Amino acid sequence: MTATVPPVPVPETAAPGAVTPTTRGDVLVRVRSAARGPWTTSLLAGTLIALALVAEHLADRPDLGAPPMLLAAAVAGLPIARRALSSLRTGSVGIELLVTVAAGGAIVIGERWEAAAVTFLFAVGHALEAMTLGRTRRALGELLDLAPSTATVLRDGIQVVVLAGEVLTGETVVIKSGDRVPVDGRVLDGGAAVDEASITGESIPVEKSAGAQVFAGTISQGGFLVVRATGVGQDTTLARVIHRVEQAQEEKAPAQRLIERFARWYTPGIIVGAVVAGVVTGDVELALTLLVIGCPGALVISTPVSIVAGIGQAARRGILVKGGEHLETAARITAVAFDKTGTLTRGRPVLTDVIPAPGTTRDDLLHWAATAEAGSEHPLARPVLVAAERAGLTPPALPDAVLPHPGRGIEARTGTHRVLVGSLRMIEDARLTLDPATRETVRALAAAGRTPLVVALDEGVLGVLGVADELRPEARAAVDALRAGGATLVMLTGDDARVARAVAATVGIQDVRAGLLPEDKLDAVRALQAQGHVVAMVGDGVNDAPALAAADVGIAMGAAGSGVAVETADVALLAADLLRVPEAVALARATVRTVRQNVAVSLVTVTVLIAGVLLGGVTMALGMFVHQASVLVVIANGMRLLRTRRATVDVEGAATPSAR
């Protein structure tokens, strides 16, 4: 097919520097946004504190310094008090209430500097927290930015630029060099290299031609494509990925839920403890200081900042994690069960061996085999025909007659010739003579895990072809990475035992369970769990569904374009790349380790501060400063996950991601 694509008119644009109603509106929106931004309160309060200090110390006028100091406490403290009241209305005693009470008490006892410093530092910490948490969600923002706003479609033979959401399923979309693909679809015509890193994480552009699938949000890096839209709007792979990441980042991990339950009791406990300390010692400032330094802010933020960053980083790499709970579970994986077909292998057979009999050439063997297979719909016919074409042989026409022998092979007649392609049994049933060398070739191919096809022409055997499912090139490296940490590795397959053992030997898996039905795979996963393992099941097909659901972590391979896999799998690998399995475990372990580090920093900081207050030397302002510093340390530590490169994995020990 050759599409004739007419040019699209270029819309007129405003003169450079012209101020349009739209630009004026944008400026007003930016001004209002800046005025309401998290830094406005901090900057205003900081300015007032600076004026008060200048008046008190440089001008030696404490009377002039008091009003701006009180105003600074009010400017920074009122938003905190509003949030505290809002929490109280819902029955929650939060960090803001502790700061509000402490600041109010400081003003009552005449400690204006303490009140202003505490509220100012808390406001700065809140602004920094909002900014840095926003950065941890940048992966989702980057995904949103991938969605193109417009698309060029062919309507009545004319190129029309429409909003991407207005493209209809089945419409023809034109994609030029440098364009972002606006829909999921199949290429009708043209060719281009498409950067799919945003969807699958694959760094090398993929060549696309007629029949290939393309995904919304990917980028054409040269060439020209005419695409039939199969998924538009919210039905694209990109939209499903964004939806899944949004949900995953909002879902709470078990550690986060535990800390939040702890904080609900801890915060009222701090208030009671501060009151008791004040009553016993008669020192109101001590009680107020305990309120400030007892804030569990770093503890509360320690888990979500790491989980959100971990899920966001995984999404960048084409690994979709369903939520924090599954990320935590993935960090504890001790056994990995692999499906074979479509997982360890590509799921499409290739011709691996062409062994002609004495007196027959390789080309003759391929030619007659392809002649017979040209009339077959069997999956093994395709690799024979592809090999013949690559060998430069003229693609055969359809034979005159075709007689399939189910489970054994095919018989074809062309002119006066009869061609047989099939199993050893089929050739024996045809009463043809096989020499010992041919029999040994058949046996050796079967032992190597390949399917032997004996080819016969009329009354003589021409030779043997070997066909096998192509092993994924990264399979051995992925298996080795998982085994390096002591993971138990198992292959669960419904295929023939000899084929399964041959594939397992190649990739390095010792435990092979072949000839399994879907319910048998389910039983195998449960048996591993009964042995105390945390089990990940890696598969790609419907027959893997029960085992994927029963496993502690179900990992779906090659989920790009599969809405079911994206929505249902605990972990979905958008690219069919087995190396993403150890990579996902590595990132999960790094995330959990970061959570533990953050919790430790939070608890140690609070403990040291409380000891410092009770022993003397830690003031309210100093306590708040150290507390806010610990919050920033926790956030910065969590954000390191966004800077990790691809990692190796130690399944029993810690993951070892490298940082830029």
Side-chain angles (χ1 to χ4, degrees):
M1 168 187 168
T2 302
T4 302
V5 184
V8 61
V10 179
E12 294 182 6
T13 59
V19 179
T20 65
T22 301
T23 58
R24 282 195 296 270
D26 289 344
V27 170
L28 288 174
V29 167
R30 290 193 187 99
V31 170
R32 290 193 187 108
S33 178
R36 297 172 182 172
W39 287 105
T40 305
T41 299
S42 303
L43 290 173
L44 181 55
T47 302
L48 290 168
I49 289 174
L51 290 174
L53 292 175
V54 167
E56 289 183 6
H57 298 289
L58 295 183
D60 196 21
R61 293 288 303 276
D63 57 318
L64 293 179
M69 194 70 81
L70 285 172
L71 188 56
V75 168
L78 284 176
I80 301 170
R82 281 197 296 268
R83 292 197 296 271
L85 277 174
S86 178
S87 297
L88 278 175
R89 290 192 187 102
T90 61
S92 174
V93 178
I95 301 165
E96 286 85 357
L97 181 62
L98 300 183
V99 176
T100 301
V101 173
I107 291 173
V108 169
I109 64 175
E111 295 291 343
R112 294 184 295 270
W113 155 248
E114 297 283 6
V118 164
T119 53
F120 168 70
L121 287 170
F122 191 86
V124 170
H126 181 73
L128 283 169
E129 182 180 319
M131 181 185 74
T132 50
L133 275 177
R135 288 187 62 192
T136 64
R137 297 180 183 270
R138 183 177 295 173
L140 179 58
E142 290 172 356
L143 287 175
L144 291 169
D145 291 342
L146 293 175
S149 58
T150 61
T152 303
V153 298
L154 286 179
R155 292 178 178 172
D156 298 326
I158 300 173
Q159 284 191 56
V160 181
V161 177
V162 300
L163 294 176
E166 295 177 355
V167 180
L168 304 177
T169 301
E171 281 198 298
T172 301
V173 179
V174 176
I175 301 164
K176 303 170 185 177
S177 178
D179 286 352
R180 284 195 183 275
V181 180
V183 297
D184 284 2
R186 291 279 176 185
V187 177
L188 298 176
D189 191 23
V194 178
D195 180 358
E196 295 185 337
S198 56
I199 299 296
T200 66
E202 176 57 57
S203 59
I204 300 174
V206 180
E207 292 293 334
K208 301 290 183 179
S209 57
Q213 187 175 15
V214 294
F215 303 110
T218 56
I219 305 171
S220 173
Q221 291 192 333
F224 180 87
L225 295 173
V226 179
V227 173
R228 178 79 66 193
T230 58
V232 299
Q234 294 303 306
D235 195 35
T236 64
T237 297
L238 177 62
R240 287 192 290 267
V241 168
I242 291 171
H243 175 65
R244 171 49 60 205
V245 175
E246 285 177 330
Q247 285 187 326
Q249 291 189 334
E250 293 301 325
E251 290 176 2
K252 295 178 180 178
Q256 182 178 350
R257 292 195 293 268
L258 177 64
I259 287 172
E260 288 180 353
R261 286 197 298 270
F262 171 74
R264 281 200 296 269
W265 291 97
Y266 171 83
T267 305
I270 285 292
I271 295 176
V272 172
V275 171
V276 170
V279 170
V280 170
T281 64
D283 189 341
V284 177
E285 187 172 353
L286 171 67
L288 296 176
T289 304
L290 283 174
L291 283 180
V292 169
I293 60 94
C295 294
L299 183 63
V300 171
I301 201 67
S302 62
T303 297
V305 69
S306 302
I307 295 294
V308 168
I311 289 173
Q313 177 68 307
R316 285 178 174 178
R317 302 181 186 185
I319 302 168
L320 289 188
V321 183
K322 197 172 185 178
E325 180 176 357
H326 302 288
L327 195 67
E328 283 192 13
T329 305
R332 297 185 288 109
I333 289 171
T334 59
V336 181
F338 289 96
D339 174 45
K340 182 185 75 68
T341 305
T343 303
L344 291 169
T345 65
R346 293 188 183 277
R348 53 176 185 264
V350 294
L351 190 66
T352 56
D353 302 89
V354 180
I355 307 172
T360 304
T361 66
R362 179 188 176 92
D363 284 355
D364 281 345
L365 176 57
L366 269 178
H367 167 76
W368 287 110
T371 298
E373 297 289 10
S376 173
E377 296 181 353
H378 194 277
L380 296 184
R382 182 63 185 166
V384 174
L385 294 170
V386 168
E389 185 175 351
R390 287 178 178 172
L393 303 176
T394 304
L398 288 173
D400 298 328
V402 175
L403 178 62
H405 295 263
R408 291 188 295 169
I410 189 171
E411 178 180 348
R413 292 191 177 273
T414 176
T416 59
H417 297 290
R418 181 185 71 162
V419 186
L420 301 176
V421 181
S423 66
L424 184 63
R425 180 182 172 187
M426 177 182 175
I427 301 300
E428 290 174 338
D429 289 347
R431 301 184 183 280
L432 298 180
T433 302
L434 285 95
D435 61 274
T438 300
R439 289 182 180 275
E440 177 58 26
T441 298
V442 170
R443 188 202 64 77
L445 288 174
R450 296 163 190 165
T451 302
L453 301 176
V454 183
V455 182
L457 176 65
D458 297 329
E459 302 303 317
V461 174
L462 298 179
V464 183
L465 303 178
V467 178
D469 192 359
E470 186 180 8
L471 190 69
R472 294 190 185 278
E474 76 280 4
R476 180 75 195 217
V479 167
D480 287 346
L482 291 165
R483 184 191 296 104
T488 297
L489 302 176
V490 184
M491 178 194 288
L492 307 178
T493 178
D495 209 342
D496 177 78
R498 290 183 302 179
V499 175
R501 282 195 296 269
V503 171
T506 303
V507 299
I509 296 178
Q510 283 76 43
D511 191 347
V512 182
R513 307 177 194 185
L516 303 182
L517 297 173
E519 54 266 30
D520 297 326
K521 293 183 179 182
L522 172 62
D523 291 341
V525 167
R526 286 178 173 164
L528 287 168
Q529 290 170 328
Q531 295 170 17
H533 287 294
V534 177
V535 182
M537 174 69 195
V538 187
D540 76 318
V542 174
N543 63 332
D544 302 320
L548 285 168
D552 297 286
V553 180
I555 303 177
M557 284 278 294
S562 172
V564 174
V566 169
E567 293 298 328
T568 61
D570 299 327
V571 177
L573 310 180
L574 295 180
D577 181 356
L578 278 171
L579 286 174
R580 303 293 166 84
V581 177
E583 188 176 344
V585 178
L587 187 55
R589 286 196 171 275
T591 301
V592 169
R593 188 174 67 253
T594 302
V595 168
R596 290 170 180 164
Q597 292 169 349
N598 285 348
V599 170
V601 167
S602 307
L603 293 177
V604 168
T605 301
V606 170
T607 302
V608 170
L609 284 176
I610 290 177
V613 171
L614 296 177
L615 295 174
V618 175
T619 63
M620 189 187 303
L622 178 60
M624 176 54 74
F625 177 79
V626 174
H627 173 269
Q628 293 301 84
S630 72
V631 171
L632 296 182
V633 168
V634 161
I635 292 174
N637 191 39
M639 289 182 64
R640 287 191 308 115
L641 293 166
L642 295 175
R643 299 191 297 274
T644 55
R645 293 175 180 167
R646 294 199 170 174
T648 57
V649 62
D650 177 351
V651 177
E652 289 295 323
T656 55
S658 58
R660 289 198 187 101

